[in-house]
Amino acid sequence: MKHLLTLLLCLSLAGYAQAQEHFGKKISDKGAVTAAALPEKMGTKDALKTKVTGTVESVCQAKGCWMKVKMDNGETMRVTFKDYGFFVPKDIAGKTVVFEGEAKKNVTPVSELRHYAEDAGKSKEEIAKITEPKHELAFVADGVIVK
């Protein structure tokens, strides 16, 4: 009996240590490519349905309506959520995430870049310095796992 209780305690602690939060469509982490490998996987395609894992650099502080995931070149990839249908917690910077949906090569207009900077809490001076559209990799996620 004592061994059974010890086993149950260990199993419950192991489950707690591996707790994950799901947002949007329920997905698994199986088959995810790293954010660093995504550009190579896309190749010359303008869009690609895939599953990606990476580290969160920052999150929209207004609602949690987007997150930036670190790439290997010092850049970040903005991840938004399909149909604005779900949000992620605002305090997940530094955490590992897995997200599934569609990666796209994108040109983000100045107005949208300024909106994102405002959401991120940037100063008016920093926002005013945004004067050029940005060519970047973007992602629209159907579902997210926060580890």
Side-chain angles (χ1 to χ4, degrees):
M1 184 69 169
K2 189 176 185 181
H3 295 291
L4 180 60
L5 289 175
T6 303
L7 177 64
L8 289 174
L9 178 61
C10 288
L11 289 174
S12 67
L13 289 175
Y16 179 77
Q18 296 174 0
Q20 300 180 39
E21 293 183 89
H22 293 264
F23 301 91
K25 176 181 152 188
K26 184 107 173 173
I27 64 170
S28 78
D29 58 0
K30 296 200 183 336
V33 299
T34 65
L38 183 59
E40 185 178 331
K41 183 176 180 182
M42 285 191 73
T44 59
K45 298 175 186 150
D46 287 333
L48 177 69
K49 290 204 178 278
T50 191
K51 191 183 301 182
V52 178
T53 186
T55 302
V56 177
E57 188 258 350
S58 61
V59 178
C60 169
Q61 291 301 294
K63 298 181 190 176
C65 55
W66 53 259
M67 63 184 173
K68 286 185 177 180
V69 174
K70 295 177 185 178
M71 304 295 282
D72 68 339
N73 59 1
E75 294 284 316
T76 58
M77 175 175 57
R78 182 174 309 278
V79 180
T80 56
F81 311 114
K82 188 173 182 177
D83 299 328
Y84 214 57
F86 63 96
F87 305 116
V88 295
K90 296 185 279 185
D91 63 351
I92 62 169
K95 292 198 176 187
T96 299
V97 290
V98 178
F99 45 98
E100 184 175 331
E102 186 172 36
K104 295 179 183 181
K105 291 179 182 172
N106 202 14
V107 178
T108 307
V110 170
S111 61
E112 199 170 321
L113 291 170
R114 287 182 172 176
H115 174 79
Y116 291 148
E118 187 178 318
D119 282 352
K122 301 288 184 186
S123 70
K124 288 182 181 183
E125 293 78 23
E126 289 174 295
I127 294 169
K129 289 180 183 177
I130 301 170
T131 60
E132 297 290 325
K134 186 174 183 181
H135 296 265
E136 61 188 345
L137 196 54
F139 202 98
V140 177
D142 299 324
V144 175
I145 299 170
V146 178
K147 294 186 171 191

